Amino acid sequence: MAWRGCVMKWAKTEFIRTTNTTSRGSGLNPHYQQRCSFRREPKRPETKKGNVSQEPNTPPSEAGAPGPPPPPSPPKIPRPSLFKPLMFTVGFSGCSFGAAAILQYETLKSRVQSAKDEEESEKVLQGSQDMAYWHDWWNQLSSFQRQLILLMSMVDDFWSSLTEGQRTVTGIIAVNAVVLCCWRIRSMQRSMIKYFTSNPASKTRCLPMVLSSFSHYSIIHMVVNMYVLWTFSSGIVSLLGKEQFLAVYMSAGVISTMVSYMCKTATGRIYPSLGASGAVMAVLAAVCAKVPEAKLGIIFLPMATFTAGNALKALIAMDTAGLVLGWRLFDHAAHLGGALFGIWYVAYGHKLIWRKREPLVKLWHDMRSLGGSRPGGGPGVGGAGPGPR
């Protein structure tokens, strides 16, 4: 009976060693361990007194064998605070419309002054110089100078053929093209990600709300956005004017990014985004809401036409579905924010904001008049009243 006790002791030692080895394997499934290694032993025949007593079948945790370590809990990411971005959105939008009102005042003033100067110069030159003078001046130029003057004349003719809206949008397109080239410079990648992509979890959140509206990493993305902006530029500038359009465009870029921040924070899907889509959607929505019966078409399908109102409804429905279903192809929250801002502005914002700019313009006019009368110790030194309008 002694050899039988030795065999049973050896079997018990191997069973415990196998159990410990299996329980320490971190790559196995706990349910798989319970099915394979912790199976109950087959029932043995009873032994007489003097034999080795049978070990009770206890689970590994009770037998002292260490179980598999618990999986590490994912770190809790605190939700970013949106107070500063919200205050920045309100302040930047207000400053944009204030600067646009002052710019409109200065533009009108410069146009009046330039018209007077041109009229006086025409009177001076009239009759004093004839065509012979300009013919002699042209003959004195070299061939390179003549070609350069002809090229400048062609560029000037092309620029004059553009509408005011297209001339205004040309500057925006140029800025987007420069930023697109900066993305291709390897040494600027870190700075571009920090300042030209909007992310609510980033340390720098306010300045990228503006800069990301002029930032595109994909050439196709920039071409599509700028083409839509170029198409609707004439309508929006004729509707609002150059200065008001710039204020709406800049404000729409920041407001659409703020809406994107809010949706990303609420859903927990935090990721960086960039592009002028939010501002472009505001321009498109403003024109379509103001002229809903206008006919639109697709560049690749000229035979398919639809009204501007139906196009706007389809875009809003698509972005709403993308936001609800969690599509990640576009920043649908920014698209919706820009579109809703454009609709609100042409319906109510123009009356609430732009038509109430007169006190600010009057204050600026008084400051200009006061500053213009200071040199030489004139009447502005003693706190004279505002000059004539």
Side-chain angles (χ1 to χ4, degrees):
M1 299 298 290
W3 65 270
R4 187 175 180 181
C6 293
V7 170
M8 291 184 63
K9 187 174 183 180
W10 174 80
K12 179 192 70 173
T13 305
E14 288 296 320
F15 171 75
I16 296 176
R17 184 181 302 170
T18 305
T19 304
N20 293 340
T21 305
T22 307
S23 62
R24 281 193 292 265
S26 59
L28 298 178
N29 190 351
H31 301 287
Y32 178 79
Q33 294 174 3
Q34 292 176 5
R35 287 197 303 267
C36 299
S37 300
F38 306 145
R39 184 178 297 171
R40 186 183 299 274
E41 286 185 298
K43 188 175 181 181
R44 296 192 182 96
E46 296 182 359
T47 56
K48 297 181 179 180
K49 294 181 180 180
N51 293 344
V52 180
S53 59
Q54 186 175 356
E55 192 77 20
N57 187 17
T58 57
S61 58
E62 297 179 4
S73 59
K76 294 183 179 180
I77 301 177
R79 290 191 174 184
S81 174
L82 299 181
F83 179 75
K84 287 184 178 180
L86 180 60
M87 293 296 101
F88 178 80
T89 302
V90 175
F92 182 83
S93 301
C95 292
S96 297
F97 282 97
I102 295 174
L103 179 62
Q104 187 185 55
Y105 169 83
E106 294 293 337
T107 303
L108 293 175
K109 190 174 182 179
S110 63
R111 286 180 180 177
V112 173
Q113 187 65 33
S114 62
K116 292 181 180 180
D117 295 341
E118 288 180 1
E119 185 178 356
E120 293 178 358
S121 62
E122 287 179 0
K123 290 180 180 181
V124 172
L125 293 176
Q126 190 175 12
S128 61
Q129 295 176 349
D130 52 3
M131 294 299 298
Y133 171 81
W134 296 109
H135 183 72
D136 295 339
W137 174 80
W138 179 261
N139 292 333
Q140 293 176 1
L141 298 177
S142 62
S143 59
F144 175 76
Q145 291 175 339
R146 293 176 184 177
Q147 293 177 1
L148 183 61
I149 292 175
L150 291 175
L151 179 62
M152 293 175 60
S153 177
M154 293 173 59
V155 172
D156 184 68
D157 293 340
F158 171 75
W159 184 258
S160 301
S161 65
L162 299 177
T163 63
E164 187 178 9
Q166 292 173 341
R167 289 197 295 267
T168 305
V169 166
T170 302
I172 299 176
I173 296 175
V175 174
N176 282 269
V178 171
V179 176
L180 178 69
C181 295
C182 292
W183 274 107
R184 300 303 185 268
I185 302 176
R186 187 180 299 273
S187 59
M188 297 184 63
Q189 292 292 317
R190 188 181 298 272
S191 299
M192 298 299 293
I193 294 175
K194 181 178 181 181
Y195 295 107
F196 286 86
T197 58
S198 59
N199 189 348
S202 175
K203 294 182 180 180
T204 308
R205 286 174 291 177
C206 295
L207 187 58
M209 298 176 73
V210 182
L211 299 181
S212 63
S213 299
F214 298 89
S215 176
H216 298 84
Y217 186 81
S218 171
I219 298 178
I220 299 177
H221 187 198
M222 191 199 78
V223 169
V224 171
N225 281 338
M226 295 301 102
Y227 174 77
V228 175
L229 182 62
W230 178 272
T231 303
F232 288 89
S233 60
S234 300
I236 191 66
V237 172
S238 62
L239 182 66
L240 303 177
K242 178 180 66 176
E243 296 81 11
Q244 191 179 181
F245 157 70
L246 291 174
V248 170
Y249 185 85
M250 299 292 292
S251 301
V254 178
I255 291 173
S256 61
T257 306
M258 184 63 208
V259 175
S260 176
Y261 278 4
M262 295 171 62
C263 291
K264 289 177 183 178
T265 304
T267 58
R269 302 168 183 170
I270 298 177
Y271 53 90
S273 57
L274 72 167
S277 302
V280 172
M281 280 292 296
V283 173
L284 187 151
V287 176
C288 292
K290 195 66 176 179
V291 193
E293 67 277 2
K295 293 293 183 179
L296 301 179
I298 304 175
I299 183 174
F300 300 109
L301 298 174
M303 70 291 297
T305 58
F306 41 85
T307 61
N310 292 335
L312 180 60
K313 293 176 183 178
L315 290 174
I316 292 178
M318 184 186 68
D319 286 321
T320 303
L323 182 63
V324 173
L325 299 177
W327 297 346
R328 296 284 293 273
L329 183 60
F330 303 107
D331 193 346
H332 297 281
H335 288 191
L336 282 175
L340 294 178
F341 173 73
I343 297 172
W344 173 85
Y345 187 81
V346 295
Y348 307 102
H350 177 76
K351 300 177 183 179
L352 296 175
I353 300 175
W354 191 249
R355 290 187 179 178
K356 296 182 179 180
R357 70 189 187 282
E358 184 178 355
L360 176 63
V361 176
K362 184 178 182 301
L363 177 63
W364 178 257
H365 174 77
D366 295 343
M367 294 174 60
R368 285 288 307 270
S369 302
L370 186 63
S373 58
R374 283 174 183 260
V381 178
R389 294 186 180 179

